[in-house]
Amino acid sequence: MIVFLVAFSLIILTCLFLNKISGKIGVPALLLFLLLGMVIKVSETSMGDNIYWVIRDICTVALIFIMFYGGFGTRWLSAKPVVRDSALLATLGVLLTASLTGLFCHFALKWGWVESFLMGSVISSTDAASVFSILRSKRLGLRNNTAPLIEVESGSNDPMSYMLTAVMISVLSGTASAGNIVWTIFAQMIFGAACGLIIGQAALLSLRRLRFSSSGNLTLFILAVAVISYAFPSLIGGNGYLSAYIVGIILGNNDFPDRKPMINFFDGLTGLMQIFIFFMLGLLANPADLTKAILPAIMIFLFLTFVARPLAVGSILGPAGGFRKYSLKQTALVSFVGLRGAASIVFSLLILTGSVQPGNDIFSIVFCIVLISIALQGSLIPYAARKLDMIDKDTDVMKTFSDYNENEELHFGHFIINDKSAWKDLSIKEMALPPGFLLAMLIRDGEQIIPDGHTVLRSGDEVVFCARSYQEKSDMILYEHPLPPNSKWEGHILREYPKDEDSIVLMIRRGEEVIIPKGHTILESGDVLVIMRRENIK
C-alpha cells in the first residue's frame, strides 16, 4: 500500500512537471502524459484483461468532470448568439463526420460496414479540454464570435459520439434491431436533456437556499451533483454526458455564493482528470500494436482532418447550410480546430470491453490518431488562425469563459476623518483623489450618506471608498512577524524597522486594534506586523 501511494504521488508530480515544461520544449503536455504512461506501462500479464475494465471505469469518471466543466466554464452570454450553430455542429456535424469517415474506412481500407461506421462514431467528436486550454494559454481572441462557436461545439459533441458508438457496438454484437436503435437514440437525447435540466435547476435552487459551513462542503456538494448528473440518466437509459454538460452550463452561468472559486477549482480538477486519462491510456498502449496501427491511423487522420471534418462543417456553416454569415476563412478555422482527444480513446475502450471484438485494432488506431492530432493540430492552431487572418487583438477570449467578469472587481475600504486629517472640512470636489478611487459612502453619527461633489467631510466621519482590485496576485506573499515581549524595536518608529527592499508593512495588529501604519508609527512589544513581499516568480 505504501509503495503504491509513493508511486502514485511521484507520477502526479512528474505529470505536473511535464505540464510545466511542455510549453518550453514545444511539445503538448497531453502528449507527454501519454508517453509517460507508455514508459511506466503495466504489462497485461500483471493484471490480465481486468486492466481494460479498471482503466475504462476510471476514465469514464474522469470524463464526467471534463464534460461537466465543459458546460460550467462556458459563458452563456457569449455562447447564446451561436448556440444554434454550435448545436448543429455538435449533432449533425458529428453524424456527418462519422458517416464520411465510415465510408472512407469501408472503401479505402476495405473494412466491413459495421466496423467502418464504428470507427467513424468513436473518432467523430472533438476535444473540449484541449481547445479550452489552447485558447486560454495562447489568449487567442478570434473574429466574429468564432471562439464561443468552437468552445460550445467541442464541449457538447461528445454525447452524440457516445450515442453513435453505443448504437454501433450493439449492431456489432448482434443485439440491435430497428426498434431498439430508435428507442436508444430517443432515450439518450430526451432523457439526458431532461435530467440535465431538472438536476441543474434543483442543484441551483439548493445552492441559493442552503448555506454551507465552509467552501469545502460547497465543493463536495457540486462534485456530488456532477456525478449524479451522469449516473441518474445513465441508469434510465439517458445520455449521462449530455446531462452533465447541461448541469454544468446551468450552474456555471447563474449566481450563487462562492461560484467563481468553484470555476478555478474545476479548472484544476479537469486538468488533473486529463492527466489521469492520458497517463492511464498510455499504460494500455502496446508499441507493437501501435506500429501496426500507424499507417491506417495516418490515412484516417488525413481524411478526417482535410475531407470529412471540412465537408461536415462546410455543409452546416457554409452557404449550402443557409449560414451566409460565416466566411470561408472562418469555416476553415472552425474545421481545423477539431482536435481529437481523450473522449475518443475512452469510447474505444467500450469496444475492448465489449462481448464481440472487431477485426481491426480500433483502440490502437484511435490512440495513434489522437497522438497525431494533439502533436500536430494542437501546435498549429495559433499558426492557422494567423494565416487565415482570424485573430482579433481587440477581442478578449477570456470573455467567452464563465469566470470572466464584465466589470473589474472592486474592493471596498474605509478610514475615519480626524481633527488632523488633511481632508477635514473639504468638499469632495476639492479633494485630489487618485484615479480610479471613489468615495462611495459616508457614515456620520450612525447615518449612511451617499456623497456628491458638494459633500463636506467632517471630523468623525467614516469614509467608505472603493477602488479597482489588483488581479495579478501571484507575485505577492503576505506573512506575519510578531514582535516578542521586550523586543529591541519597542519604542522605535516603523521606518527604522529593517525589511527587504521589495516588502512593505501593510498593517499592524495590536490586541483588538488594527492599525494602518505610517513611517512615524511607534512600534510596541506584542505588535503583529503584516508584511507583503514581492516575489520574482518566473
Side-chain angles (χ1 to χ4, degrees):
M1 179 65 178
I2 300 299
V3 174
F4 171 78
L5 291 176
V6 171
F8 178 78
S9 302
L10 290 176
I11 289 169
I12 294 297
L13 292 174
T14 303
C15 287
L16 293 175
F17 174 74
L18 292 176
N19 191 38
K20 184 72 175 178
I21 68 171
S22 63
K24 296 181 180 180
I25 64 177
V27 178
L30 297 181
L31 180 60
L32 296 179
F33 302 151
L34 279 171
L35 297 176
L36 178 63
M38 294 172 67
V39 170
I40 305 178
K41 178 176 172 54
V42 178
S43 66
E44 295 180 24
T45 56
S46 62
M47 290 186 65
D49 292 336
N50 287 334
I51 188 174
Y52 296 106
W53 291 87
V54 171
I55 292 181
R56 185 202 68 175
D57 292 342
I58 294 174
C59 290
T60 297
V61 173
L63 199 56
I64 294 171
F65 295 111
I66 292 175
M67 285 298 305
F68 177 80
Y69 181 67
F72 199 81
T74 297
R75 187 166 176 259
W76 182 251
L77 188 62
S78 300
K80 190 175 180 180
V82 295
V83 68
R84 180 188 61 164
D85 312 352
S86 299
L88 286 173
L89 288 173
T91 51
L92 181 59
V94 169
L95 179 61
L96 289 172
T97 302
S99 301
L100 291 170
T101 305
L103 289 172
F104 174 80
C105 291
H106 178 72
F107 289 107
L109 301 181
K110 307 302 180 182
W111 290 10
W113 282 109
V114 174
E115 196 173 357
S116 297
F117 286 108
L118 177 58
M119 180 70 208
S121 301
V122 169
I123 205 66
S124 58
S125 68
T126 58
D127 189 64
S130 297
V131 170
F132 283 22
S133 176
I134 291 170
L135 293 179
R136 278 179 175 271
S137 62
K138 303 298 183 181
R139 290 280 181 164
L140 282 181
L142 303 176
R143 302 179 188 275
N144 305 327
N145 268 352
T146 305
L149 175 68
I150 59 181
E151 286 165 17
V152 177
E153 184 225 352
S154 62
S156 60
N157 60 14
D158 286 338
M160 185 68 176
S161 178
Y162 172 79
M163 183 187 69
L164 293 176
T165 301
V167 168
M168 294 311 302
I169 287 177
S170 66
V171 173
L172 180 68
S173 62
T175 60
S177 64
N180 286 340
I181 292 175
V182 172
W183 171 251
T184 297
I185 295 173
F186 173 84
Q188 284 271 308
M189 303 307 291
I190 301 301
F191 292 171
C195 288
L197 292 171
I198 294 170
I199 295 172
Q201 292 297 334
L204 182 61
L205 182 63
S206 300
L207 286 169
R208 288 176 172 173
R209 293 194 174 184
L210 298 176
R211 288 295 179 266
F212 295 96
S213 58
S214 68
S215 59
N217 289 338
L218 172 62
T219 302
L220 291 175
F221 176 83
I222 296 182
L223 284 173
V225 169
V227 173
I228 197 65
S229 68
Y230 169 85
F232 183 74
S234 298
L235 192 64
I236 60 176
N239 195 310
Y241 294 117
L242 176 60
S243 173
Y245 180 76
I246 292 173
V247 172
I249 285 182
I250 293 173
L251 296 187
N253 288 275
N254 284 280
D255 290 327
F256 57 86
D258 295 324
R259 180 187 68 87
K260 190 171 180 180
M262 289 298 100
I263 297 176
N264 297 328
F265 168 78
F266 276 100
D267 184 40
L269 178 65
T270 301
L272 182 62
M273 293 299 102
Q274 279 217 108
I275 289 174
F276 275 152
I277 287 179
F278 279 87
F279 172 75
M280 290 188 175
L281 293 175
L283 296 178
L284 293 180
N286 188 325
D289 293 338
L290 295 181
T291 302
K292 297 176 183 177
I294 190 66
L295 182 57
I298 291 174
M299 295 174 66
I300 294 173
F301 169 78
L302 292 174
F303 179 84
L304 182 64
T305 306
F306 298 108
V307 180
R309 169 81 177 171
L311 284 176
V313 173
S315 64
I316 295 173
L317 300 185
F323 292 95
R324 297 184 181 275
K325 60 183 177 181
Y326 291 101
S327 66
L328 182 61
K329 290 183 177 180
Q330 188 175 12
T331 303
L333 182 62
V334 172
S335 172
F336 188 77
V337 174
L339 297 176
R340 310 299 137 174
S344 295
I345 306 181
V346 174
F347 295 160
S348 70
L349 282 175
L350 299 176
I351 303 171
L352 280 179
T353 54
S355 57
V356 178
Q357 298 299 310
N360 291 281
D361 187 358
I362 290 181
F363 172 80
S364 296
I365 294 173
V366 170
F367 195 99
C368 289
I369 292 173
V370 171
L371 281 176
I372 299 169
S373 181
I374 292 173
L376 294 182
Q377 276 180 282
S379 303
L380 293 175
I381 285 176
Y383 174 80
R386 288 193 299 270
K387 283 297 182 182
L388 292 169
D389 193 27
M390 285 299 298
I391 293 181
D392 185 355
K393 294 182 179 179
D394 296 326
T395 299
D396 185 2
V397 72
M398 301 307 292
K399 291 183 178 181
T400 64
F401 297 102
S402 59
D403 55 346
Y404 175 78
N405 236 330
E406 277 290 354
N407 302 307
E408 293 181 87
E409 284 192 11
L410 300 177
H411 277 191
F412 290 90
H414 72 103
F415 58 88
I416 296 176
I417 302 293
N418 56 38
D419 290 331
K420 297 181 180 179
S421 174
W423 286 355
K424 178 178 175 290
D425 297 329
L426 289 181
S427 65
I428 291 179
K429 67 180 180 181
E430 296 174 325
M431 297 161 57
L433 295 176
F437 189 96
L438 177 68
L439 300 190
M441 185 173 66
L442 301 180
I443 301 176
R444 178 179 295 167
D445 299 325
E447 181 184 0
Q448 296 180 350
I449 302 171
I450 303 300
D452 57 27
H454 301 286
T455 304
V456 177
L457 300 183
R458 301 175 184 172
S459 179
D461 284 352
E462 182 177 1
V463 179
V464 179
F465 66 90
C466 72
R468 295 171 182 163
S469 63
Y470 177 58
Q471 299 296 319
E472 299 297 330
K473 301 175 182 177
S474 60
D475 58 346
M476 297 190 305
I477 296 177
L478 293 178
Y479 65 96
E480 294 183 350
H481 181 73
L483 297 183
N486 302 318
S487 170
K488 66 178 181 178
W489 298 108
E490 182 177 7
H492 288 258
I493 61 176
L494 180 61
R495 71 167 60 99
E496 297 174 344
Y497 181 80
K499 55 184 179 59
D500 297 335
E501 181 180 350
D502 291 333
S503 66
I504 185 174
V505 178
L506 296 179
M507 184 174 68
I508 297 176
R509 290 199 184 100
R510 183 173 293 166
E512 298 296 326
E513 186 181 6
V514 174
I515 301 171
I516 304 299
K518 297 181 179 179
H520 56 73
T521 301
I522 298 175
L523 300 176
E524 298 181 6
S525 292
D527 284 352
V528 178
L529 310 184
V530 179
I531 302 174
M532 184 195 79
R533 184 175 71 243
R534 182 173 63 86
E535 292 288 316
N536 293 319
I537 299 175
K538 296 182 180 180

